[in-house]
Amino acid sequence: MGPRGLLFIWLGWWTHRHIRRIVAGSAIIMVLTAIIGFRVFPRLGGEGFNGPASRFG
């Protein structure tokens, strides 16, 4: 078993020992990205792309 195998064994052990922290951190990241994502919706236009340099504008 090479160094990569030992790295993955260590990573698996660490993940098993800290599963609650990993789940809590993932939940926090998901909530933060949802907040950022919902703030974008009011800024989107419903008419499509209307760029000033566009041939179709």
Side-chain angles (χ1 to χ4, degrees), residues 2-53:
R4 284 190 185 190
L6 293 176
L7 176 68
F8 284 115
I9 289 173
W10 178 84
L11 182 62
W13 173 84
W14 188 88
T15 303
H16 179 72
R17 300 281 295 165
H18 299 93
I19 192 69
R20 290 184 183 184
R21 291 181 184 181
I22 293 170
V23 171
S26 299
I28 290 170
I29 290 171
M30 285 176 23
V31 168
L32 291 176
T33 55
I35 290 170
I36 292 170
F38 281 122
R39 290 180 62 193
V40 170
F41 283 121
R43 298 180 184 180
L44 296 175
E47 293 83 31
F49 181 73
N50 195 10

